[in-house]
């Protein structure tokens, strides 16, 4: 595998960039310190990935190396004055983000992301089912969330930061709905009047009403648990998204 050697070359190049930063006049001491911290972290991240490569990805390793070389070539006062200090610092921040993404492509951590996707998807499905059961108002809320949910899923699979933001924006309402469903199921099971009302609405027996209530409770619990797990995993692996 060539990836480990290429990743070590990336780390070495970033080390060279750090040495050049000390001689810059175009960066303030505060920005120099920030850049050095980000580059040191990125260097260590790439070295750690190089020592734990499971999946060879020479093309991506070369991409990281080209970005590191570009940063190195841009680390001089003339270029920074031309592109601007803000743009240069963005380049430093970007290479740092790449270093945090790298483990997912080389160390097999992408499997953890797949668990997050599935938890998000299977956590949203019960929400839509329960919303349909509770009536038009809840169903309308679910319909409003369909498009951002689909966009979140598509972007998450491509590891886009937009998908991450959309998923965190979408999940609170279904999680609250899940908690509400559990509470309602407990209430309905302990209130014969409510069970009778449900049975009458469906023109079915009390046993059927109990089944409906149990289904609502189970779906609500599934949605709450799966989305809680998805939110934890997505936050934990937030650096995998660009």
């Amino acid at each position: 595998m060539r990836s480990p050697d290429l990743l070590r070359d990336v780390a070495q190049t970033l080390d060279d960039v750090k040495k050049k930063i000390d001689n810059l006049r175009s960066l303030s001491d505060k920005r120099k310190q920030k850049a050095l911290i980000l580059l040191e972290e990125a260097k260590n991240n790439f070295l750690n990935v190089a020592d734990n490569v499971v999946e060879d990805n020479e093309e991506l390793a070369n991409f990281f190396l080209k970005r590191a070389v570009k940063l190195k070539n841009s680390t001089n006062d003339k270029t920074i004055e031309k592109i601007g200090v803000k743009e240069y610092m963005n380049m430093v921040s970007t290479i740092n983000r790449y270093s945090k993404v790298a483990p997912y492509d080389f160390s097999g951590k992408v499997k953890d992301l797949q668990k997050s996707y599935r938890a998000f998807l299977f956590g949203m499905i019960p929400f839509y089912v329960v919303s349909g059961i509770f009536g038009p108002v809840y169903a309308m809320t679910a319909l409003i969330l369909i498009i951002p949910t689909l966009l979140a899923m598509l972007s998450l699979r491509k590891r886009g930061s937009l998908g991450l933001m959309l998923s965190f924006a979408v999940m609170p309402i279904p999680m609250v709905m899940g908690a509400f469903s559990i509470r309602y199921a407990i209430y309905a099971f302990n209130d014969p009047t409510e069970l009778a009302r449900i049975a009458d609405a469906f023109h079915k027996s009390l046993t059927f009403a109990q089944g409906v209530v149990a289904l609502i409770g189970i779906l609500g619990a599934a949605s709450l648990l799966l989305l809680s797990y998805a939110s934890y995993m997505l936050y934990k692996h937030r650096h995998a998204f660009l």
Side-chain angles (χ1 to χ4, degrees):
M1 292 192 297
R2 288 204 61 212
S3 293
D5 291 334
L6 290 170
L7 292 170
R8 291 188 184 96
D9 288 342
V10 175
Q12 181 57 55
T13 303
L14 295 181
D15 210 29
D16 295 339
V17 174
K18 287 177 58 186
K19 295 174 183 176
K20 295 182 70 175
I21 283 178
D22 289 330
N23 299 320
L24 293 175
R25 299 187 306 275
S26 51
L27 293 183
S28 65
D29 290 340
K30 184 177 180 180
R31 284 199 170 97
K32 282 184 181 180
Q33 187 64 26
K34 180 180 179 181
L36 290 171
I37 291 172
L38 289 173
L39 290 170
E40 178 65 20
E41 182 182 23
K43 182 192 79 171
N44 291 332
N45 287 341
F46 279 119
L47 286 175
N48 186 55
V49 173
D51 292 335
N52 296 281
V53 171
V54 175
E55 298 178 12
D56 191 28
N57 193 332
E58 187 176 334
E59 182 179 357
L60 184 59
N62 269 313
F63 170 79
F64 290 149
L65 182 57
K66 288 177 182 177
R67 286 305 183 100
V69 170
K70 182 180 179 181
L71 178 62
K72 179 180 177 180
N73 293 335
S74 300
T75 307
N76 58 75
D77 291 312
K78 183 178 179 180
T79 302
I80 293 175
E81 288 169 3
K82 181 180 179 181
I83 65 175
V85 172
K86 184 178 180 180
E87 179 61 27
Y88 177 78
M89 293 302 293
N90 284 339
M91 291 173 66
V92 173
S93 297
T94 298
I95 202 70
N96 180 271
R97 289 199 299 272
Y98 286 154
S99 74
K100 293 175 180 177
V101 167
Y104 295 91
D105 294 286
F106 295 96
S107 303
K109 285 188 175 182
V110 73
K111 293 178 182 178
D112 293 330
L113 295 180
Q114 293 171 349
K115 293 178 182 178
S116 305
Y117 303 149
R118 287 194 292 269
F120 177 71
L121 174 62
F122 293 122
M124 291 299 295
I125 291 174
F127 161 69
Y128 288 109
V129 175
V130 169
S131 297
I133 294 174
F134 272 117
V137 175
Y138 296 97
M140 186 61 67
T141 302
L143 284 174
I144 293 172
L145 292 180
I146 283 180
I147 292 177
T149 299
L150 292 175
L151 290 175
M153 278 303 305
L154 291 172
S155 185
L156 283 175
R157 288 195 172 278
K158 296 179 180 179
R159 287 167 56 187
S161 57
L162 175 62
L164 187 66
M165 289 187 291
L166 282 174
S167 64
F168 282 124
V170 164
M171 284 190 284
I173 291 177
M175 290 173 73
V176 171
M177 189 68 177
F180 172 74
S181 299
I182 296 170
R183 182 180 179 183
Y184 173 77
I186 295 172
Y187 155 75
F189 266 122
N190 291 282
D191 188 343
T193 304
E194 182 66 13
L195 287 174
R197 187 186 69 80
I198 295 171
D200 184 61
F202 284 99
H203 303 291
K204 298 289 184 178
S205 66
L206 283 176
T207 302
F208 177 83
Q210 290 174 336
V212 171
V213 171
L215 178 63
I216 291 174
I218 291 170
L219 289 174
S223 182
L224 181 59
L225 291 172
L226 286 169
L227 292 179
S228 296
Y229 176 76
S231 61
Y232 166 74
M233 289 294 286
L234 288 172
Y235 180 78
K236 180 180 179 181
H237 298 290
R238 62 193 181 281
H239 296 304
F241 301 89
L242 286 173

